[in-house]
mmCIF file with all atom_site columns, all heavy atoms in Angstrom:
data_model
loop_
_atom_site.group_PDB
_atom_site.id
_atom_site.type_symbol
_atom_site.label_atom_id
_atom_site.label_alt_id
_atom_site.label_comp_id
_atom_site.label_asym_id
_atom_site.label_entity_id
_atom_site.label_seq_id
_atom_site.pdbx_PDB_ins_code
_atom_site.Cartn_x
_atom_site.Cartn_y
_atom_site.Cartn_z
_atom_site.occupancy
_atom_site.B_iso_or_equiv
_atom_site.pdbx_formal_charge
_atom_site.auth_seq_id
_atom_site.auth_comp_id
_atom_site.auth_asym_id
_atom_site.auth_atom_id
_atom_site.pdbx_PDB_model_num
ATOM 1   N N   . GLY A 1 1  ? 87.078  106.647 113.641 1.00 0.00 ? 1  GLY A N   1
ATOM 2   C CA  . GLY A 1 1  ? 86.507  106.948 112.319 1.00 0.00 ? 1  GLY A CA  1
ATOM 3   C C   . GLY A 1 1  ? 87.229  108.031 111.618 1.00 0.00 ? 1  GLY A C   1
ATOM 4   O O   . GLY A 1 1  ? 88.199  108.591 112.083 1.00 0.00 ? 1  GLY A O   1
ATOM 5   N N   . GLY A 1 2  ? 86.667  108.268 110.259 1.00 0.00 ? 2  GLY A N   1
ATOM 6   C CA  . GLY A 1 2  ? 87.158  109.327 109.524 1.00 0.00 ? 2  GLY A CA  1
ATOM 7   C C   . GLY A 1 2  ? 88.661  109.163 109.136 1.00 0.00 ? 2  GLY A C   1
ATOM 8   O O   . GLY A 1 2  ? 89.168  107.986 108.925 1.00 0.00 ? 2  GLY A O   1
ATOM 9   N N   . PRO A 1 3  ? 89.410  110.268 108.939 1.00 0.00 ? 3  PRO A N   1
ATOM 10  C CA  . PRO A 1 3  ? 90.849  110.235 108.545 1.00 0.00 ? 3  PRO A CA  1
ATOM 11  C C   . PRO A 1 3  ? 91.774  109.410 109.652 1.00 0.00 ? 3  PRO A C   1
ATOM 12  O O   . PRO A 1 3  ? 92.828  108.877 109.167 1.00 0.00 ? 3  PRO A O   1
ATOM 13  C CB  . PRO A 1 3  ? 91.288  111.662 108.574 1.00 0.00 ? 3  PRO A CB  1
ATOM 14  C CG  . PRO A 1 3  ? 90.009  112.408 108.431 1.00 0.00 ? 3  PRO A CG  1
ATOM 15  C CD  . PRO A 1 3  ? 88.948  111.606 109.179 1.00 0.00 ? 3  PRO A CD  1
ATOM 16  N N   . ALA A 1 4  ? 91.289  109.243 110.795 1.00 0.00 ? 4  ALA A N   1
ATOM 17  C CA  . ALA A 1 4  ? 92.031  108.478 111.818 1.00 0.00 ? 4  ALA A CA  1
ATOM 18  C C   . ALA A 1 4  ? 92.316  107.048 111.213 1.00 0.00 ? 4  ALA A C   1
ATOM 19  O O   . ALA A 1 4  ? 93.260  106.338 111.715 1.00 0.00 ? 4  ALA A O   1
ATOM 20  C CB  . ALA A 1 4  ? 91.406  108.513 113.097 1.00 0.00 ? 4  ALA A CB  1
ATOM 21  N N   . ARG A 1 5  ? 91.292  106.524 110.481 1.00 0.00 ? 5  ARG A N   1
ATOM 22  C CA  . ARG A 1 5  ? 91.467  105.186 110.120 1.00 0.00 ? 5  ARG A CA  1
ATOM 23  C C   . ARG A 1 5  ? 92.631  104.922 109.151 1.00 0.00 ? 5  ARG A C   1
ATOM 24  O O   . ARG A 1 5  ? 93.145  103.824 109.106 1.00 0.00 ? 5  ARG A O   1
ATOM 25  C CB  . ARG A 1 5  ? 90.122  104.692 109.364 1.00 0.00 ? 5  ARG A CB  1
ATOM 26  C CG  . ARG A 1 5  ? 88.968  104.618 110.386 1.00 0.00 ? 5  ARG A CG  1
ATOM 27  C CD  . ARG A 1 5  ? 87.753  103.867 109.834 1.00 0.00 ? 5  ARG A CD  1
ATOM 28  N NE  . ARG A 1 5  ? 86.888  103.521 110.932 1.00 0.00 ? 5  ARG A NE  1
ATOM 29  C CZ  . ARG A 1 5  ? 85.788  102.780 110.755 1.00 0.00 ? 5  ARG A CZ  1
ATOM 30  N NH1 . ARG A 1 5  ? 85.445  102.256 109.601 1.00 0.00 ? 5  ARG A NH1 1
ATOM 31  N NH2 . ARG A 1 5  ? 85.060  102.529 111.873 1.00 0.00 ? 5  ARG A NH2 1
ATOM 32  N N   . VAL A 1 6  ? 93.012  105.979 108.406 1.00 0.00 ? 6  VAL A N   1
ATOM 33  C CA  . VAL A 1 6  ? 94.204  105.928 107.547 1.00 0.00 ? 6  VAL A CA  1
ATOM 34  C C   . VAL A 1 6  ? 95.372  105.692 108.443 1.00 0.00 ? 6  VAL A C   1
ATOM 35  O O   . VAL A 1 6  ? 96.275  104.892 108.121 1.00 0.00 ? 6  VAL A O   1
ATOM 36  C CB  . VAL A 1 6  ? 94.288  107.087 106.637 1.00 0.00 ? 6  VAL A CB  1
ATOM 37  C CG1 . VAL A 1 6  ? 95.713  107.053 105.828 1.00 0.00 ? 6  VAL A CG1 1
ATOM 38  C CG2 . VAL A 1 6  ? 93.113  107.225 105.830 1.00 0.00 ? 6  VAL A CG2 1
ATOM 39  N N   . VAL A 1 7  ? 95.441  106.500 109.520 1.00 0.00 ? 7  VAL A N   1
ATOM 40  C CA  . VAL A 1 7  ? 96.668  106.438 110.444 1.00 0.00 ? 7  VAL A CA  1
ATOM 41  C C   . VAL A 1 7  ? 96.609  104.972 110.994 1.00 0.00 ? 7  VAL A C   1
ATOM 42  O O   . VAL A 1 7  ? 97.708  104.366 111.123 1.00 0.00 ? 7  VAL A O   1
ATOM 43  C CB  . VAL A 1 7  ? 96.468  107.390 111.476 1.00 0.00 ? 7  VAL A CB  1
ATOM 44  C CG1 . VAL A 1 7  ? 97.552  107.165 112.590 1.00 0.00 ? 7  VAL A CG1 1
ATOM 45  C CG2 . VAL A 1 7  ? 96.538  108.831 110.997 1.00 0.00 ? 7  VAL A CG2 1
ATOM 46  N N   . ALA A 1 8  ? 95.409  104.397 111.406 1.00 0.00 ? 8  ALA A N   1
ATOM 47  C CA  . ALA A 1 8  ? 95.413  103.102 111.943 1.00 0.00 ? 8  ALA A CA  1
ATOM 48  C C   . ALA A 1 8  ? 95.948  102.005 110.936 1.00 0.00 ? 8  ALA A C   1
ATOM 49  O O   . ALA A 1 8  ? 96.650  101.008 111.351 1.00 0.00 ? 8  ALA A O   1
ATOM 50  C CB  . ALA A 1 8  ? 94.014  102.785 112.485 1.00 0.00 ? 8  ALA A CB  1
ATOM 51  N N   . ARG A 1 9  ? 95.495  102.219 109.736 1.00 0.00 ? 9  ARG A N   1
ATOM 52  C CA  . ARG A 1 9  ? 95.843  101.244 108.636 1.00 0.00 ? 9  ARG A CA  1
ATOM 53  C C   . ARG A 1 9  ? 97.452  101.300 108.407 1.00 0.00 ? 9  ARG A C   1
ATOM 54  O O   . ARG A 1 9  ? 98.076  100.255 108.326 1.00 0.00 ? 9  ARG A O   1
ATOM 55  C CB  . ARG A 1 9  ? 95.200  101.456 107.365 1.00 0.00 ? 9  ARG A CB  1
ATOM 56  C CG  . ARG A 1 9  ? 93.729  101.018 107.327 1.00 0.00 ? 9  ARG A CG  1
ATOM 57  C CD  . ARG A 1 9  ? 93.601  99.513  107.685 1.00 0.00 ? 9  ARG A CD  1
ATOM 58  N NE  . ARG A 1 9  ? 94.232  98.640  106.932 1.00 0.00 ? 9  ARG A NE  1
ATOM 59  C CZ  . ARG A 1 9  ? 93.999  98.096  105.708 1.00 0.00 ? 9  ARG A CZ  1
ATOM 60  N NH1 . ARG A 1 9  ? 92.800  98.458  105.188 1.00 0.00 ? 9  ARG A NH1 1
ATOM 61  N NH2 . ARG A 1 9  ? 94.733  97.271  105.045 1.00 0.00 ? 9  ARG A NH2 1
ATOM 62  N N   . VAL A 1 10 ? 97.934  102.370 108.354 1.00 0.00 ? 10 VAL A N   1
ATOM 63  C CA  . VAL A 1 10 ? 99.359  102.593 108.247 1.00 0.00 ? 10 VAL A CA  1
ATOM 64  C C   . VAL A 1 10 ? 100.196 102.027 109.427 1.00 0.00 ? 10 VAL A C   1
ATOM 65  O O   . VAL A 1 10 ? 101.114 101.239 109.186 1.00 0.00 ? 10 VAL A O   1
ATOM 66  C CB  . VAL A 1 10 ? 99.762  104.062 108.073 1.00 0.00 ? 10 VAL A CB  1
ATOM 67  C CG1 . VAL A 1 10 ? 101.283 104.289 108.098 1.00 0.00 ? 10 VAL A CG1 1
ATOM 68  C CG2 . VAL A 1 10 ? 99.201  104.646 106.736 1.00 0.00 ? 10 VAL A CG2 1
ATOM 69  N N   . LEU A 1 11 ? 99.686  102.153 110.539 1.00 0.00 ? 11 LEU A N   1
ATOM 70  C CA  . LEU A 1 11 ? 100.356 101.567 111.729 1.00 0.00 ? 11 LEU A CA  1
ATOM 71  C C   . LEU A 1 11 ? 100.327 100.064 111.740 1.00 0.00 ? 11 LEU A C   1
ATOM 72  O O   . LEU A 1 11 ? 101.268 99.433  112.015 1.00 0.00 ? 11 LEU A O   1
ATOM 73  C CB  . LEU A 1 11 ? 99.684  102.053 113.064 1.00 0.00 ? 11 LEU A CB  1
ATOM 74  C CG  . LEU A 1 11 ? 100.208 101.727 114.382 1.00 0.00 ? 11 LEU A CG  1
ATOM 75  C CD1 . LEU A 1 11 ? 101.730 102.196 114.485 1.00 0.00 ? 11 LEU A CD1 1
ATOM 76  C CD2 . LEU A 1 11 ? 99.420  102.396 115.523 1.00 0.00 ? 11 LEU A CD2 1
ATOM 77  N N   . SER A 1 12 ? 99.132  99.509  111.335 1.00 0.00 ? 12 SER A N   1
ATOM 78  C CA  . SER A 1 12 ? 99.005  98.073  111.275 1.00 0.00 ? 12 SER A CA  1
ATOM 79  C C   . SER A 1 12 ? 99.945  97.481  110.154 1.00 0.00 ? 12 SER A C   1
ATOM 80  O O   . SER A 1 12 ? 100.467 96.451  110.398 1.00 0.00 ? 12 SER A O   1
ATOM 81  C CB  . SER A 1 12 ? 97.518  97.682  111.068 1.00 0.00 ? 12 SER A CB  1
ATOM 82  O OG  . SER A 1 12 ? 97.098  98.021  109.845 1.00 0.00 ? 12 SER A OG  1
ATOM 83  N N   . GLN A 1 13 ? 100.057 98.263  109.053 1.00 0.00 ? 13 GLN A N   1
ATOM 84  C CA  . GLN A 1 13 ? 100.927 97.666  108.078 1.00 0.00 ? 13 GLN A CA  1
ATOM 85  C C   . GLN A 1 13 ? 102.375 97.780  108.318 1.00 0.00 ? 13 GLN A C   1
ATOM 86  O O   . GLN A 1 13 ? 103.156 96.896  108.075 1.00 0.00 ? 13 GLN A O   1
ATOM 87  C CB  . GLN A 1 13 ? 100.657 98.460  106.726 1.00 0.00 ? 13 GLN A CB  1
ATOM 88  C CG  . GLN A 1 13 ? 99.371  98.110  106.039 1.00 0.00 ? 13 GLN A CG  1
ATOM 89  C CD  . GLN A 1 13 ? 99.218  96.667  105.644 1.00 0.00 ? 13 GLN A CD  1
ATOM 90  O OE1 . GLN A 1 13 ? 98.464  95.909  106.355 1.00 0.00 ? 13 GLN A OE1 1
ATOM 91  N NE2 . GLN A 1 13 ? 99.919  96.181  104.619 1.00 0.00 ? 13 GLN A NE2 1
ATOM 92  N N   . PHE A 1 14 ? 102.727 98.775  109.016 1.00 0.00 ? 14 PHE A N   1
ATOM 93  C CA  . PHE A 1 14 ? 104.094 98.976  109.566 1.00 0.00 ? 14 PHE A CA  1
ATOM 94  C C   . PHE A 1 14 ? 104.373 97.814  110.577 1.00 0.00 ? 14 PHE A C   1
ATOM 95  O O   . PHE A 1 14 ? 105.463 97.157  110.469 1.00 0.00 ? 14 PHE A O   1
ATOM 96  C CB  . PHE A 1 14 ? 104.316 100.233 110.178 1.00 0.00 ? 14 PHE A CB  1
ATOM 97  C CG  . PHE A 1 14 ? 105.770 100.464 110.638 1.00 0.00 ? 14 PHE A CG  1
ATOM 98  C CD1 . PHE A 1 14 ? 106.902 100.493 109.752 1.00 0.00 ? 14 PHE A CD1 1
ATOM 99  C CD2 . PHE A 1 14 ? 105.997 100.625 112.133 1.00 0.00 ? 14 PHE A CD2 1
ATOM 100 C CE1 . PHE A 1 14 ? 108.118 100.818 110.289 1.00 0.00 ? 14 PHE A CE1 1
ATOM 101 C CE2 . PHE A 1 14 ? 107.319 100.735 112.510 1.00 0.00 ? 14 PHE A CE2 1
ATOM 102 C CZ  . PHE A 1 14 ? 108.396 100.877 111.544 1.00 0.00 ? 14 PHE A CZ  1
ATOM 103 N N   . THR A 1 15 ? 103.446 97.478  111.388 1.00 0.00 ? 15 THR A N   1
ATOM 104 C CA  . THR A 1 15 ? 103.642 96.309  112.296 1.00 0.00 ? 15 THR A CA  1
ATOM 105 C C   . THR A 1 15 ? 103.752 95.043  111.566 1.00 0.00 ? 15 THR A C   1
ATOM 106 O O   . THR A 1 15 ? 104.575 94.172  111.980 1.00 0.00 ? 15 THR A O   1
ATOM 107 C CB  . THR A 1 15 ? 102.502 96.189  113.334 1.00 0.00 ? 15 THR A CB  1
ATOM 108 O OG1 . THR A 1 15 ? 102.346 97.507  113.897 1.00 0.00 ? 15 THR A OG1 1
ATOM 109 C CG2 . THR A 1 15 ? 102.656 95.260  114.360 1.00 0.00 ? 15 THR A CG2 1
ATOM 110 N N   . ARG A 1 16 ? 102.991 94.779  110.450 1.00 0.00 ? 16 ARG A N   1
ATOM 111 C CA  . ARG A 1 16 ? 103.078 93.650  109.586 1.00 0.00 ? 16 ARG A CA  1
ATOM 112 C C   . ARG A 1 16 ? 104.500 93.561  109.145 1.00 0.00 ? 16 ARG A C   1
ATOM 113 O O   . ARG A 1 16 ? 105.081 92.466  109.072 1.00 0.00 ? 16 ARG A O   1
ATOM 114 C CB  . ARG A 1 16 ? 102.089 93.703  108.540 1.00 0.00 ? 16 ARG A CB  1
ATOM 115 C CG  . ARG A 1 16 ? 102.217 92.619  107.558 1.00 0.00 ? 16 ARG A CG  1
ATOM 116 C CD  . ARG A 1 16 ? 101.383 92.823  106.248 1.00 0.00 ? 16 ARG A CD  1
ATOM 117 N NE  . ARG A 1 16 ? 101.451 91.820  105.257 1.00 0.00 ? 16 ARG A NE  1
ATOM 118 C CZ  . ARG A 1 16 ? 100.964 91.844  104.096 1.00 0.00 ? 16 ARG A CZ  1
ATOM 119 N NH1 . ARG A 1 16 ? 100.361 92.959  103.658 1.00 0.00 ? 16 ARG A NH1 1
ATOM 120 N NH2 . ARG A 1 16 ? 101.225 90.921  103.317 1.00 0.00 ? 16 ARG A NH2 1
ATOM 121 N N   . PHE A 1 17 ? 105.004 94.643  108.565 1.00 0.00 ? 17 PHE A N   1
ATOM 122 C CA  . PHE A 1 17 ? 106.403 94.645  108.147 1.00 0.00 ? 17 PHE A CA  1
ATOM 123 C C   . PHE A 1 17 ? 107.481 94.254  109.225 1.00 0.00 ? 17 PHE A C   1
ATOM 124 O O   . PHE A 1 17 ? 108.369 93.479  108.863 1.00 0.00 ? 17 PHE A O   1
ATOM 125 C CB  . PHE A 1 17 ? 106.743 96.002  107.572 1.00 0.00 ? 17 PHE A CB  1
ATOM 126 C CG  . PHE A 1 17 ? 108.145 96.242  107.165 1.00 0.00 ? 17 PHE A CG  1
ATOM 127 C CD1 . PHE A 1 17 ? 108.668 95.761  106.077 1.00 0.00 ? 17 PHE A CD1 1
ATOM 128 C CD2 . PHE A 1 17 ? 109.109 96.951  108.019 1.00 0.00 ? 17 PHE A CD2 1
ATOM 129 C CE1 . PHE A 1 17 ? 109.985 95.859  105.717 1.00 0.00 ? 17 PHE A CE1 1
ATOM 130 C CE2 . PHE A 1 17 ? 110.457 97.118  107.727 1.00 0.00 ? 17 PHE A CE2 1
ATOM 131 C CZ  . PHE A 1 17 ? 110.891 96.636  106.471 1.00 0.00 ? 17 PHE A CZ  1
ATOM 132 N N   . LEU A 1 18 ? 107.318 94.711  110.335 1.00 0.00 ? 18 LEU A N   1
ATOM 133 C CA  . LEU A 1 18 ? 108.205 94.375  111.459 1.00 0.00 ? 18 LEU A CA  1
ATOM 134 C C   . LEU A 1 18 ? 108.057 92.944  112.076 1.00 0.00 ? 18 LEU A C   1
ATOM 135 O O   . LEU A 1 18 ? 109.052 92.293  112.412 1.00 0.00 ? 18 LEU A O   1
ATOM 136 C CB  . LEU A 1 18 ? 108.004 95.396  112.547 1.00 0.00 ? 18 LEU A CB  1
ATOM 137 C CG  . LEU A 1 18 ? 108.463 96.810  112.309 1.00 0.00 ? 18 LEU A CG  1
ATOM 138 C CD1 . LEU A 1 18 ? 108.097 97.671  113.454 1.00 0.00 ? 18 LEU A CD1 1
ATOM 139 C CD2 . LEU A 1 18 ? 109.957 96.953  111.757 1.00 0.00 ? 18 LEU A CD2 1
ATOM 140 N N   . THR A 1 19 ? 106.889 92.367  112.106 1.00 0.00 ? 19 THR A N   1
ATOM 141 C CA  . THR A 1 19 ? 106.601 91.205  112.758 1.00 0.00 ? 19 THR A CA  1
ATOM 142 C C   . THR A 1 19 ? 106.107 90.023  111.898 1.00 0.00 ? 19 THR A C   1
ATOM 143 O O   . THR A 1 19 ? 106.194 88.912  112.446 1.00 0.00 ? 19 THR A O   1
ATOM 144 C CB  . THR A 1 19 ? 105.416 91.388  113.907 1.00 0.00 ? 19 THR A CB  1
ATOM 145 O OG1 . THR A 1 19 ? 104.184 91.670  113.279 1.00 0.00 ? 19 THR A OG1 1
ATOM 146 C CG2 . THR A 1 19 ? 105.851 92.610  114.789 1.00 0.00 ? 19 THR A CG2 1
ATOM 147 N N   . GLY A 1 20 ? 105.674 90.229  110.778 1.00 0.00 ? 20 GLY A N   1
ATOM 148 C CA  . GLY A 1 20 ? 105.125 89.195  109.881 1.00 0.00 ? 20 GLY A CA  1
ATOM 149 C C   . GLY A 1 20 ? 103.723 88.782  110.256 1.00 0.00 ? 20 GLY A C   1
ATOM 150 O O   . GLY A 1 20 ? 103.166 87.832  109.866 1.00 0.00 ? 20 GLY A O   1
ATOM 151 N N   . ILE A 1 21 ? 103.143 89.649  111.099 1.00 0.00 ? 21 ILE A N   1
ATOM 152 C CA  . ILE A 1 21 ? 101.765 89.340  111.703 1.00 0.00 ? 21 ILE A CA  1
ATOM 153 C C   . ILE A 1 21 ? 100.864 90.429  111.175 1.00 0.00 ? 21 ILE A C   1
ATOM 154 O O   . ILE A 1 21 ? 100.999 91.706  111.457 1.00 0.00 ? 21 ILE A O   1
ATOM 155 C CB  . ILE A 1 21 ? 101.686 89.311  113.261 1.00 0.00 ? 21 ILE A CB  1
ATOM 156 C CG1 . ILE A 1 21 ? 102.519 88.176  113.675 1.00 0.00 ? 21 ILE A CG1 1
ATOM 157 C CG2 . ILE A 1 21 ? 100.294 89.108  113.685 1.00 0.00 ? 21 ILE A CG2 1
ATOM 158 C CD1 . ILE A 1 21 ? 102.868 88.124  115.253 1.00 0.00 ? 21 ILE A CD1 1
ATOM 159 N N   . GLU A 1 22 ? 99.769  90.197  110.460 1.00 0.00 ? 22 GLU A N   1
ATOM 160 C CA  . GLU A 1 22 ? 98.886  91.208  109.967 1.00 0.00 ? 22 GLU A CA  1
ATOM 161 C C   . GLU A 1 22 ? 97.429  91.156  110.732 1.00 0.00 ? 22 GLU A C   1
ATOM 162 O O   . GLU A 1 22 ? 96.753  90.217  110.579 1.00 0.00 ? 22 GLU A O   1
ATOM 163 C CB  . GLU A 1 22 ? 98.648  91.019  108.528 1.00 0.00 ? 22 GLU A CB  1
ATOM 164 C CG  . GLU A 1 22 ? 97.616  92.050  107.974 1.00 0.00 ? 22 GLU A CG  1
ATOM 165 C CD  . GLU A 1 22 ? 97.558  91.924  106.470 1.00 0.00 ? 22 GLU A CD  1
ATOM 166 O OE1 . GLU A 1 22 ? 98.283  91.176  105.767 1.00 0.00 ? 22 GLU A OE1 1
ATOM 167 O OE2 . GLU A 1 22 ? 96.512  92.544  105.874 1.00 0.00 ? 22 GLU A OE2 1
ATOM 168 N N   . ILE A 1 23 ? 97.177  92.120  111.512 1.00 0.00 ? 23 ILE A N   1
ATOM 169 C CA  . ILE A 1 23 ? 95.979  92.240  112.287 1.00 0.00 ? 23 ILE A CA  1
ATOM 170 C C   . ILE A 1 23 ? 95.268  93.566  111.730 1.00 0.00 ? 23 ILE A C   1
ATOM 171 O O   . ILE A 1 23 ? 95.788  94.680  112.022 1.00 0.00 ? 23 ILE A O   1
ATOM 172 C CB  . ILE A 1 23 ? 96.098  92.231  113.795 1.00 0.00 ? 23 ILE A CB  1
ATOM 173 C CG1 . ILE A 1 23 ? 96.917  91.112  114.265 1.00 0.00 ? 23 ILE A CG1 1
ATOM 174 C CG2 . ILE A 1 23 ? 94.707  92.244  114.400 1.00 0.00 ? 23 ILE A CG2 1
ATOM 175 C CD1 . ILE A 1 23 ? 97.222  91.196  115.792 1.00 0.00 ? 23 ILE A CD1 1
ATOM 176 N N   . HIS A 1 24 ? 94.090  93.398  111.068 1.00 0.00 ? 24 HIS A N   1
ATOM 177 C CA  . HIS A 1 24 ? 93.424  94.651  110.717 1.00 0.00 ? 24 HIS A CA  1
ATOM 178 C C   . HIS A 1 24 ? 92.991  95.432  111.916 1.00 0.00 ? 24 HIS A C   1
ATOM 179 O O   . HIS A 1 24 ? 92.504  94.802  112.795 1.00 0.00 ? 24 HIS A O   1
ATOM 180 C CB  . HIS A 1 24 ? 92.156  94.254  109.801 1.00 0.00 ? 24 HIS A CB  1
ATOM 181 C CG  . HIS A 1 24 ? 91.584  95.411  109.173 1.00 0.00 ? 24 HIS A CG  1
ATOM 182 N ND1 . HIS A 1 24 ? 90.773  96.459  109.751 1.00 0.00 ? 24 HIS A ND1 1
ATOM 183 C CD2 . HIS A 1 24 ? 91.624  95.828  107.824 1.00 0.00 ? 24 HIS A CD2 1
ATOM 184 C CE1 . HIS A 1 24 ? 90.520  97.413  108.923 1.00 0.00 ? 24 HIS A CE1 1
ATOM 185 N NE2 . HIS A 1 24 ? 90.879  96.968  107.655 1.00 0.00 ? 24 HIS A NE2 1
ATOM 186 N N   . PRO A 1 25 ? 93.153  96.724  111.884 1.00 0.00 ? 25 PRO A N   1
ATOM 187 C CA  . PRO A 1 25 ? 92.707  97.517  113.026 1.00 0.00 ? 25 PRO A CA  1
ATOM 188 C C   . PRO A 1 25 ? 91.339  97.476  113.407 1.00 0.00 ? 25 PRO A C   1
ATOM 189 O O   . PRO A 1 25 ? 90.935  97.813  114.515 1.00 0.00 ? 25 PRO A O   1
ATOM 190 C CB  . PRO A 1 25 ? 93.224  98.959  112.719 1.00 0.00 ? 25 PRO A CB  1
ATOM 191 C CG  . PRO A 1 25 ? 93.297  98.933  111.194 1.00 0.00 ? 25 PRO A CG  1
ATOM 192 C CD  . PRO A 1 25 ? 93.771  97.660  110.850 1.00 0.00 ? 25 PRO A CD  1
ATOM 193 N N   . GLY A 1 26 ? 90.439  97.077  112.470 1.00 0.00 ? 26 GLY A N   1
ATOM 194 C CA  . GLY A 1 26 ? 89.065  96.939  112.753 1.00 0.00 ? 26 GLY A CA  1
ATOM 195 C C   . GLY A 1 26 ? 88.765  95.736  113.576 1.00 0.00 ? 26 GLY A C   1
ATOM 196 O O   . GLY A 1 26 ? 87.685  95.622  114.165 1.00 0.00 ? 26 GLY A O   1
ATOM 197 N N   . ALA A 1 27 ? 89.643  94.725  113.614 1.00 0.00 ? 27 ALA A N   1
ATOM 198 C CA  . ALA A 1 27 ? 89.315  93.464  114.356 1.00 0.00 ? 27 ALA A CA  1
ATOM 199 C C   . ALA A 1 27 ? 89.211  93.737  115.780 1.00 0.00 ? 27 ALA A C   1
ATOM 200 O O   . ALA A 1 27 ? 89.882  94.599  116.411 1.00 0.00 ? 27 ALA A O   1
ATOM 201 C CB  . ALA A 1 27 ? 90.442  92.448  114.052 1.00 0.00 ? 27 ALA A CB  1
#
């Protein structure tokens, strides 16, 4: 929770850029 969620979203979006697969960190 909290500010950590921003880090999680950035990490997931970077992975989307690398793989073409988008998985929201909340899933």
